[in-house]
Amino acid sequence: MTHEAAGVPPTRNDDDRPDDARPAEPQTAPEATDSPDTSDASAGEAGAASASAASSSDSSDGGPQGGDERPEARLAKAVQVAEQALIEFEIAVETFRVEVENFSRLHHQKLGPMYARLDELDAQIAEARAARTGDPEDLRKAKEARDIVMPMPGVDELFHDWIDSDGLSPEASAMLTEQPVRPPKRVRPSEEARRLYRELARKAHPDLAQDEPERERRDEFITRVNAAYGRGDVELLKELAAEWAAGPAKPLPPLSESEELYARLEWLSRRKELLTVLAKELEESAIGSMLRMAPDDPDQLLEDIGDQLLGEVSRREAELAELVQ
């Protein structure tokens, strides 16, 4: 650090300078500027808060003594500020997410039947109009309106593989009669898959491990090999063979204190960006937009929407009654 930076005027040999070049008054050092105020950093500005803390930590102690602080200590303060800001931001985002989720549940419980009723009335109106006119366009609209109505699930959807063309599947019959269930059909691996599997099993068998960490690595690897072989996945077995040939990942060299702190700041910044995206999606969602319309009284908002939907139901019922007369 130079004398000028510390606020001390430089020394000169004035005897070697002309008289007219000598200063009439000694130059005084400028007063130190105040440090930036970061007390208003919001929870959504974790990255900005950390940068502000890093740039202002030199002057936060006041006087030249602040310059004796280690750079790592100043960086640690910046990390601490960013961590606290991110925590507050996460709390705010999670709080809003829970509010949106709860409001969505209430919205579905209270208004879902009304929306379903409106869809059904729209379909009946379109079908009645098509039956009266016989117009192909009206018939098409009637079909589209009917398709919107939530259909009842079919038997095959309800029971999935329990029922086949001959009735109950063998697996379902066995379970209902407490008989042993046949094992599921297995893929017959190809010759290439068998060859790759044997090679990998010989090379990576856990019994070849020299210590416990190596055994754990081999156990995890062989588990993936067995799964790929069970599916007959030749391409995945080839990838696993290349992975084993490359050997275990080399441990990264230990980071210095400064590198660890900078890495932490980068992670905090990325986390803040992800939370910002999530918050924006919540706010722009249909339920989030509705909730922001009445954040202080969402129950009343549901009541108002319900009244509007009841009015729509009444109008459609009247329209349907005129069409079927």
Side-chain angles (χ1 to χ4, degrees):
M1 180 178 293
T2 62
H3 289 297
E4 290 84 346
V8 179
T11 57
R12 305 184 183 86
N13 187 355
D14 291 336
D15 293 336
D16 296 335
R17 299 178 56 185
D19 291 338
D20 57 355
R22 295 178 184 176
E25 296 288 341
Q27 297 297 319
T28 59
E31 296 182 358
T33 58
D34 293 333
S35 60
D37 182 14
T38 60
S39 59
D40 294 332
S42 66
E45 298 172 340
S50 60
S52 176
S55 63
S56 64
S57 57
D58 245 349
S59 58
S60 61
D61 294 335
Q65 290 82 2
D68 297 335
E69 189 177 19
R70 295 170 57 245
E72 291 81 3
R74 297 196 301 271
L75 191 57
K77 290 182 180 179
V79 170
Q80 186 178 16
V81 170
E83 287 174 340
Q84 292 300 318
L86 184 63
I87 289 172
E88 294 299 326
F89 189 33
E90 289 204 45
I91 291 173
V93 173
E94 180 62 15
T95 300
F96 186 62
R97 187 195 67 78
V98 171
E99 291 175 353
V100 169
E101 185 177 293
N102 291 336
F103 188 76
S104 176
R105 187 180 299 109
L106 289 173
H107 180 272
H108 178 72
Q109 291 175 351
K110 292 187 176 182
L111 306 183
M114 296 186 190
Y115 286 120
R117 177 60 177 162
L118 285 173
D119 289 340
E120 177 62 31
L121 286 171
D122 286 339
Q124 291 182 11
I125 290 171
E127 290 168 346
R129 185 176 291 110
R132 173 176 291 187
T133 64
D135 185 86
E137 182 65 16
D138 288 340
L139 292 171
R140 183 188 65 80
K141 291 180 179 179
K143 184 179 183 305
E144 289 181 353
R146 176 55 61 187
D147 290 340
I148 293 175
V149 179
M150 182 68 68
M152 287 294 292
V155 174
D156 55 340
E157 293 178 277
L158 288 172
F159 291 95
H160 299 288
D161 295 332
W162 279 63
I163 295 179
D164 54 23
S165 58
D166 298 326
L168 285 176
S169 66
E171 290 79 7
S173 298
M175 293 181 68
L176 293 174
T177 57
E178 298 184 355
Q179 298 296 318
V181 180
R182 292 181 303 176
K185 297 179 181 179
R186 292 187 176 274
V187 177
R188 182 174 178 81
S190 64
E191 289 297 326
E192 177 71 1
R194 293 180 183 180
R195 182 186 65 80
L196 291 168
Y197 174 73
R198 286 194 295 266
E199 290 181 359
L200 286 170
R202 292 192 187 102
K203 294 177 180 178
H205 199 281
D207 288 346
L208 300 176
Q210 300 296 321
D211 51 38
E212 190 58 28
E214 177 65 11
R215 173 176 286 277
E216 292 177 358
R217 183 177 80 91
R218 288 172 177 266
D219 280 336
E220 185 274 335
F221 182 80
I222 286 296
T223 299
R224 289 190 286 146
V225 170
N226 290 338
Y229 180 63
R231 296 192 300 269
D233 194 335
V234 173
E235 293 303 318
L236 181 54
L237 287 170
K238 289 180 179 179
E239 292 178 7
L240 290 169
E243 178 184 331
W244 186 260
K250 296 180 179 179
L252 297 175
L255 298 177
S256 66
E257 183 181 358
S258 296
E259 290 172 333
E260 289 183 354
L261 290 170
Y262 275 118
R264 178 64 175 167
L265 278 177
E266 291 178 1
W267 182 89
L268 291 168
S269 178
R270 290 194 300 269
R271 176 65 177 167
K272 177 246 181 182
E273 291 174 0
L274 292 174
L275 287 172
T276 301
V277 172
L278 175 59
K280 184 177 180 181
E281 291 176 353
L282 288 171
E283 290 177 353
E284 295 180 352
S285 65
I287 297 297
S289 300
M290 292 174 60
L291 185 59
R292 287 190 294 123
M293 292 171 58
D296 297 330
D297 194 1
D299 291 336
Q300 183 59 47
L301 176 62
L302 286 178
E303 295 294 334
D304 295 341
I305 296 174
D307 292 341
Q308 295 176 11
L309 292 178
L310 284 175
E312 291 294 327
V313 168
S314 298
R315 283 189 287 273
R316 281 172 171 76
E317 287 177 342
E319 182 180 356
L320 178 61
E322 293 179 358
L323 287 172
V324 297
Q325 284 179 354

